[in-house]
């Protein structure tokens, strides 16, 4: 028996079919984008409504599928998140017109929206369906086509959700190929597509490695990193309300949102109060031995124990060997001194909230800042009434959103606050990202600005923005770049338009350099 | 210096001289005089590079051979993988690659039973004609005037006499030619009851892709059956998704008794062709399996590539892309025709098979030249030089399609000028 037979491995090398198909999906997306970029605002809104409706219809179904496939989270909470990315998300952006040109007679400027084209989006396993819904909506509203690459652990539900939206979009008049999802994602595939000159922008939500890879790809990227949100509970806070917020936030979808609080920091004078309030809100406060057990269970030699991601408090307590009431919502290990090295101060995508206390506000700020560095640029929560301290806290913290007296999971992601609803939380410069806001459709459009001289006599007030756009509902191709009829044949040099291939560009540059050198001789 | 390691040429002129001396003086002279003296050097994707370095976008594709472009990376990978394991194989024996590939082909056309392999289109046509003769025990073959089915013994006799007479290969007693789109003419011949088969390209390529009239092909197929003849579809240029469906006949609601394919089947990397037949016609494969023999027909490397070509063509993304390309050029060419209506007078199209009509008996020769000067290679139809064959590939992307259209537009003034010259000379 040969080695082949023994292993039943293919006798021939086989090309990566999934990669080929993904490249063709990008091609399709480019076609779709070409037509869609000329769609009118009513046509865009019609498609957005259609995917909102379709998404809403199957929000619960996909929530169930997602939990089944990934083992993360809580079905009802996932359904809420999925739903939040349908009509609610659309309503938030409904009045943000990214389609109609803007005329500003006072500043003598006209602005024309130019969609990116093809968006390549990386979705995490933690919020698979909500992310698909959300990114598809962003693409539709900004007149871009999108190809999504789901996390392998959530690919079935992600593909199903994307196809569902794609069908709804097409039925509402969208070009085919506007919303697509890679069926068999892999790291080489994602790297290949990210580096491809056929995509126009990457939205990367996921682990640090993925986000760094997106930024290293050579393509424009909106990458957002992981969080490690800290909630500071000031003595000026109503402790019971604060505790309820924390428990609600940590138990929501078993803390799977990257905006969930990892650490609750208060002042020593307030710690007893906080423990009592958390307990009555449904949390289990761990004694020293339980805290150690939890630390050992959650943090292995290879980092955070992935088995615990998105699991319930009771499930985790059982695995960690802690006796709790079955109705417990959150586990609270207590680390008395806010040192830097305790593993329990790191990000925890599960309903475990580390409680610690500082001697005074100064020490609290120092500790908070250090904690937030792991998860820099992300989110934090402030509980209390003291505005001066809130401002000092927000000024010092390397985060781009501080939510006040609300659950951070939901609040920082724009649910229950006026922050934009988002599953891509910009971690900005502090988090080595290009965007510090909650990512929205406006980030996928750039504007061509027509600017007159300040003292030009031009009066733009009679310009009708709607009439400027070459909008077509049906998306008929509007051939562009056609040379005027009587133009002489393009001279050979000009006709050889620059190629898209980077390799060729490199060659051309080398050739040019060589010819220059020859000129020297 | 063009040093290829195995051979070298001092210059393009040197190559042309040697090609004329040792290979084919007629062809060398023809292309030089036509103003499109191309010697393809590098090739990649849908780009060809002449020895001069000039880049051309390939819209000839050698009749669909380069459906996926030149040296498509995935196909090259398959070819290389194949070379690590297979060679041509031994045509006498059953083989894994041939069994897998024939099954794949037959599954793409469920009313068929067998796939018989050749190395080129003409050979597949040869097999088809022999198969029909076997099934009917009749000798006569009908084809259309200006039809084109290859240049081997039987196939060349089905075609234009330009290619048969010179070799004394025309056989008017056995090969009858009827006008295209004229079912009555076909019936008049079939009526005599001695016809084995009517062979027709689903859309006759070399004749400039004239579109079959509504119902014409179906009527022909029905007439064949009525008079005991077999209907053979030549899908060498219309197969492999080029008309928007895998096989051209599918789009016309036909069920040919036999059909042939070739060209792009080998991905432009390894020659292979196939003749598919129903169980009824393919009886000779049971009676005497070695009745048709071809050492290189169905070479295993070709089967491996062909198998993968079929798989790639079945991918939903590729099918969708074909439709995008077809739609783009439908709209784009309508616009071009409106802009250049003085010379550009008609578009024949099905899928990514296009014939562009120009208002001069040799109009397409001039347009081909004007396009060549503007970086696009598309060939005129040999048997109707009014018509330019315009054959975009199935995986073209949007930017290149737009560039093709822009270059086409830019070439029209030059085409106009060349045509004026031709008219003056005439
Ligand atoms: C329709 C058709 N049939 C058959 C052939 C013959 O194929 P080959 O040249 O591979 O023998 C051709 C070649 O151009 C063709 O176009």
């Amino acid at each position: 028996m040969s080695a082949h037979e023994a292993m039943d491995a293919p006798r021939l090398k086989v090309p990566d079919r999934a990669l080929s198909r993904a490249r063709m999906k990008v091609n399709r997306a480019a076609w779709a984008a070409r037509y869609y970029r000329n769609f009118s605002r009513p046509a865009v809104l019609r498609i957005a409504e259609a995917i909102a409706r379709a998404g809403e219809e199957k929000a619960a179904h996909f929530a169930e599928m997602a939990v089944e496939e990934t083992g993360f989270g809580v079905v009802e909470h996932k359904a809420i998140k999925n739903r939040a990315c349908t009509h609610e998300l659309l309503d938030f952006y409904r009045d943000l017109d990214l389609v109609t040109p803007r005329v500003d007679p006072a500043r003598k400027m006209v602005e024309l929206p130019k969609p990116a084209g093809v968006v390549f989006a990386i979705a995490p396993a933690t919020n698979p369906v909500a992310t698909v819904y959300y990114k598809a909506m962003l693409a539709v509203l900004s007149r871009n086509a999108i190809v999504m690459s789901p996390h392998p652990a959530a690919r079935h539900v992600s593909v199903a959700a994307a196809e569902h939206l794609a069908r709804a979009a097409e039925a509402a008049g969208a070009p085919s190929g506007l919303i697509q999802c890679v069926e068999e994602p892999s790291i080489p595939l994602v790297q290949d597509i990210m580096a491809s000159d056929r995509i126009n922008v990457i939205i990367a939500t996921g682990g640090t490695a993925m986000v760094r890879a997106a930024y290293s790809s050579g393509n424009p990227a909106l990458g957002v990193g992981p969080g490690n949100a800290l909630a500071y509970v000031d003595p000026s806070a109503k402790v019971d309300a604060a505790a309820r917020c924390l428990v609600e936030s940590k138990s929501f979808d078993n803390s799977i949102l990257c905006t969930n609080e990892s650490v609750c920091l208060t002042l020593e004078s307030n710690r007893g109060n906080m423990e009592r309030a958390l307990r009555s809100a449904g949390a289990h406060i761990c004694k020293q031995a339980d805290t150690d057990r939890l630390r050992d269970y959650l943090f292995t030699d290879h980092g955070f124990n992935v088995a615990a991601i998105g699991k319930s408090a009771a499930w985790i307590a059982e695995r960690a060997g802690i006796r709790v009431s079955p109705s417990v919502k959150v586990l609270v290990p207590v680390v008395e001194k806010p040192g830097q090295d305790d593993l329990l101060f790191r990000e925890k995508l599960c309903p475990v909230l580390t409680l610690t206390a500082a001697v005074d506000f100064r020490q609290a700020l120092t500790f908070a800042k250090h904690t937030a560095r792991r998860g820099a640029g992300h989110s934090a929560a402030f509980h209390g009434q003291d505005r001066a301290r809130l401002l000092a806290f927000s000024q010092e913290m390397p985060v781009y959103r501080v939510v006040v007296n609300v659950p951070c999971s939901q609040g920082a992601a724009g649910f229950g606050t006026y922050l934009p609803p988002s599953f891509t939380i910009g971690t900005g410069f502090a988090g080595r990202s290009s965007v510090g806001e909650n990512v929205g459709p406006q980030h996928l459009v750039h504007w061509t600005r027509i600017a007159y001289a300040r003292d030009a006599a031009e009066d733009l007030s009679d310009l009708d923005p709607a009439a400027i756009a070459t909008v077509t509902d049906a998306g008929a191709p509007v051939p562009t770049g056609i040379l005027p009829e009587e133009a002489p044949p393009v001279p050979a040099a000009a006709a050889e338009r620059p190629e898209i291939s980077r390799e060729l560009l490199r060659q051309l540059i080398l050739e040019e350099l060589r010819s220059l050198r020859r000129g020297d001789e | 210096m063009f040093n290829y390691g195995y051979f070298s040429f001092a210059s393009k002129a040197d190559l042309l001289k040697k090609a004329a001396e040792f290979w084919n003086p007629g062809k060398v002279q023809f292309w030089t005089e036509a103003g499109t003296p191309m010697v393809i050097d590098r090739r990649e994707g849908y780009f060809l590079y002449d020895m001069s370095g000039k880049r051309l976008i390939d819209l000839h594709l050698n009749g669909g051979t380069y459906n996926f472009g030149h040296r498509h990376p995935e196909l090259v990978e398959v070819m290389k993988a194949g070379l690590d394991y297979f060679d041509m194989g031994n045509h006498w024996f059953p083989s894994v690659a041939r069994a897998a590939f024939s099954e794949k082909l037959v599954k793409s056309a469920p009313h068929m039973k067998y796939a018989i392999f050749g190395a080129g289109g003409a050979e597949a046509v040869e097999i088809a004609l022999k198969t029909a003769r076997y099934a009917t025990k009749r000798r006569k073959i009908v084809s259309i005037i200006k039809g084109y089915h290859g240049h081997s013994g039987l196939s060349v006799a089905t075609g234009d006499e330009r290619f048969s007479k010179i070799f004394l290969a025309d056989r008017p007693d056995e090969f009858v030619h009827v006008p295209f789109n004229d079912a009555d003419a076909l019936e008049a011949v079939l009526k005599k009851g001695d016809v084995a088969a009517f062979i027709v390209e689903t859309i006759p390529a070399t004749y400039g892709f004239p579109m079959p009239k509504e119902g014409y092909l179906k009527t022909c197929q029905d007439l064949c059956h009525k008079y005991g003849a077999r209907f053979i579809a030549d899908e060498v240029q219309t197969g492999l998704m080029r008309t928007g469906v895998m096989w051209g006949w599918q789009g016309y609601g036909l069920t040919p008794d036999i059909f042939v394919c070739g060209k792009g089947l080998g991905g432009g990397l390894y020659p292979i062709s196939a003749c598919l037949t129903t169980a009824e016609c393919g009886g000779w494969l049971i009676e005497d399996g070695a009745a048709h023999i071809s050492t290189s027909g169905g070479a295993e490397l070709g089967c491996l590539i062909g198998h993968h070509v079929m798989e790639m063509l079945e991918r939903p993304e590729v099918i969708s892309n074909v439709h995008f390309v077809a739609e783009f050029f439908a709209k784009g060419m309508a616009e071009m025709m409106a802009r250049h209506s003085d010379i550009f007078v008609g578009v024949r199209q099905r899928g990514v098979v296009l014939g562009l009509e120009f208002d001069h008996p040799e109009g397409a020769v001039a347009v081909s030249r004007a396009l060549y000067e503007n970086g696009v290679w598309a060939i005129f139809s040999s048997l109707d030089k009014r018509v330019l064959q315009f054959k975009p590939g199935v995986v073209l992307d949007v930017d290149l399609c737009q560039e093709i259209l822009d270059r086409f537009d830019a070439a029209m003034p030059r085409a106009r000028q060349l045509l004026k010259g031709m008219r003056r000379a005439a």
Side-chain angles (χ1 to χ4, degrees), chain A residues 193-418:
Chain A
I193 303 297
M194 281 199 313
S196 152
D197 49 16
R198 306 284 167 102
I199 60 164
N200 302 100
V201 62
I202 303 167
I203 315 185
T205 319
T208 310
M210 187 57 81
V211 173
R212 290 329 318 154
Y215 277 114
S216 310
S217 69
N219 274 315
L222 301 169
V224 307
N228 190 30
L230 175 136
Y232 170 67
V233 183
D234 191 67
S236 66
K238 300 191 175 87
V239 278
D240 290 309
R244 275 198 302 277
C245 281
L246 288 165
V247 169
E248 190 190 321
S249 179
K250 284 300 294 182
S251 57
F252 183 69
D253 206 15
N254 290 337
S255 286
I256 205 102
L257 277 120
C258 54
T259 43
N260 88 86
E261 298 88 340
S262 176
V263 174
C264 173
L265 169 69
T266 188
L267 300 188
E268 264 172 16
S269 55
N270 203 32
R271 204 181 89 200
N273 269 343
M274 204 55 218
E275 287 187 7
R276 182 196 47 72
L278 280 167
R279 203 176 285 121
S280 52
H284 172 85
I285 310 294
C286 297
K287 300 241 159 44
Q288 181 68 50
D290 284 353
T291 294
D292 293 340
R293 283 194 190 96
L294 206 48
R295 184 187 299 106
D296 288 347
Y297 175 69
L298 290 180
F299 293 92
T300 69
D301 294 341
H302 320 290
F304 191 78
N305 182 355
V306 287
I309 294 176
K311 296 300 190 314
S312 71
W315 190 98
I316 290 168
E318 195 193 317
R319 297 301 185 290
I322 302 171
R323 289 166 70 106
V324 295
S325 134
S327 64
V328 69
K329 289 182 177 152
V330 175
L331 303 177
V332 180
V334 182
V335 179
E336 304 212 353
K337 292 277 173 285
Q340 274 319 300
D341 301 327
D342 200 306
L343 293 168
L344 285 166
F345 291 135
R346 300 193 174 182
E347 187 184 32
K348 293 172 286 296
L349 293 174
C350 65
V352 175
L353 177 69
T354 306
L355 178 65
T356 192
V359 288
D360 57 18
F361 185 63
R362 201 65 333 263
Q363 192 193 25
L365 263 188
T366 308
F367 171 72
K369 261 189 328 201
H370 284 290
T371 306
R373 276 208 191 121
R374 272 199 197 91
H378 219 289
S379 314
F382 183 95
H383 293 271
Q385 309 302 322
D386 188 330
R387 252 194 225 166
R389 282 187 171 179
L390 166 64
L391 291 174
F393 179 79
S394 306
Q395 183 62 41
E396 288 294 306
M397 288 290 276
V399 298
Y400 295 108
R401 48 202 76 62
V402 175
V403 296
V404 186
N405 296 326
V406 295
C408 194
S409 274
Q410 296 96 320
F415 304 106
T417 62
Y418 288 109

Side-chain angles (χ1 to χ4, degrees), chain B residues 62-63 65 119-125 147-152 155 199-206 234-238 260 262-263 272-273 389 391:
Chain B
N62 225 352
T65 306
E123 187 181 352
V125 168
Y148 188 98
H149 303 286
H151 284 190
S152 62
S155 63
I199 181 168
V200 64
E201 297 171 69
T202 307
I203 305 167
T206 312
D234 182 337
E235 291 280 338
V236 170
Q237 293 225 21
T238 47
V260 297
K263 299 245 189 217
I272 185 145
S273 64
Q389 293 188 358
K391 300 184 263 202

Side-chain angles (χ1 to χ4, degrees), chain B residues 230-292:
Chain B
R230 300 296 175 270
F231 180 83
I232 304 174
D234 182 337
E235 291 280 338
V236 170
Q237 293 225 21
T238 47
L240 305 175
M241 283 307 298
R242 296 208 47 78
T243 63
V245 286
M246 184 61 85
W247 307 114
W249 51 260
Q250 290 170 322
Y252 291 97
L254 306 175
T255 45
D257 303 286
I258 300 168
F259 78 91
V260 297
C261 57
K263 299 245 189 217
L265 198 58
L269 295 176
Y270 199 98
I272 185 145
S273 64
C275 166
L276 277 86
T277 162
T278 58
E280 188 262 328
C281 294
W284 64 266
L285 291 157
I286 300 168
E287 188 181 325
D288 180 0
H292 175 85

Side-chain angles (χ1 to χ4, degrees), chain B residues 314-364:
Chain B
E314 286 162 358
R315 292 177 186 163
E317 295 83 8
V318 172
I319 295 171
S320 167
N321 201 73
V322 176
H323 295 156
F324 271 122
V325 175
E327 217 174 290
F328 177 86
F329 283 112
K331 287 174 179 153
M333 281 305 162
E335 176 133 335
M336 286 299 122
M337 203 161 64
R339 287 167 53 69
H340 305 287
S341 55
D342 56 325
I343 54 170
F344 182 7
V345 296
V347 178
R348 307 156 169 188
Q349 182 182 8
R350 194 162 178 103
V352 288
V353 159
L354 286 91
L356 312 180
E357 294 169 53
F358 294 90
D359 187 24
H360 183 282
E362 302 243 324

Side-chain angles (χ1 to χ4, degrees), chain A residues 4 11-32 34-35 175-178 180-181 183 197-198 474-492 494-501 504 507, chain B residues 42 44 47 49 53-56 72-74 77-78 81-82 84-86 304 307-308 311-312 315-318 320-321 324-325 327-328 331-332 335-336 339-340 342 373-375 394-403 405-407 409-411 413-414 416-417:
Chain A
H4 289 301
R11 291 164 193 235
L12 270 71
K13 252 178 54 201
V14 180
D16 185 344
R17 295 181 171 95
L19 175 59
S20 282
R21 291 191 56 187
R23 287 180 181 156
M24 278 311 291
K25 284 181 201 290
V26 172
N27 261 17
R28 278 189 83 203
W31 279 110
R34 175 185 202 277
Y35 296 121
S176 117
L178 194 70
Q180 296 178 87
C181 187
E183 282 102 0
D197 49 16
R198 306 284 167 102
V478 187
T480 53
I482 306 283
L483 304 169
E485 178 160 16
E486 288 316 317
V490 183
E496 297 295 319
R497 279 224 228 139
E499 280 246 40
I500 18 185
S501 144
L504 202 92
Q507 281 174 15
Chain B
R42 279 189 308 123
E44 184 171 29
F47 298 122
Y49 296 84
K54 180 180 175 62
R55 194 197 75 171
L56 292 140
H72 189 286
E74 188 174 350
E77 225 181 306
V78 173
D84 286 337
Y85 206 90
F86 295 123
L304 179 70
H307 186 274
H308 204 73
E311 185 199 307
M312 285 170 71
R315 292 177 186 163
E317 295 83 8
V318 172
S320 167
N321 201 73
F324 271 122
V325 175
E327 217 174 290
F328 177 86
K331 287 174 179 153
E335 176 133 335
M336 286 299 122
R339 287 167 53 69
H340 305 287
D342 56 325
E373 290 168 9
N374 279 278
V394 288
V395 293
L396 270 175
D397 64 63
V398 56
D399 292 339
L400 195 52
C401 284
Q402 184 63 57
E403 182 174 341
L405 207 59
D406 294 347
R407 286 176 182 274
D409 194 41
R414 172 67 173 145
R416 200 169 278 123
Q417 185 191 12

Side-chain angles (χ1 to χ4, degrees), chain A residues 108-182:
Chain A
K108 296 199 166 55
M109 276 173 54
V110 181
E111 302 180 339
L112 310 175
K114 303 280 176 77
V118 176
V119 179
F120 182 57
I122 318 224
T126 45
N127 302 297
V129 179
T131 308
V132 166
Y133 279 14
Y134 155 78
K135 289 185 177 173
M137 182 64 82
L138 260 49
V140 164
L141 288 172
S142 56
R143 293 191 297 176
N144 285 292
I146 187 164
V147 177
M148 293 183 266
S149 180
H151 192 281
R155 67 194 171 99
H156 294 293
V157 68
S158 306
V159 168
E163 281 178 356
H164 177 60
L165 298 190
R167 271 193 300 276
E170 276 183 51
S176 117
L178 194 70
I179 301 170
Q180 296 178 87
C181 187
V182 171

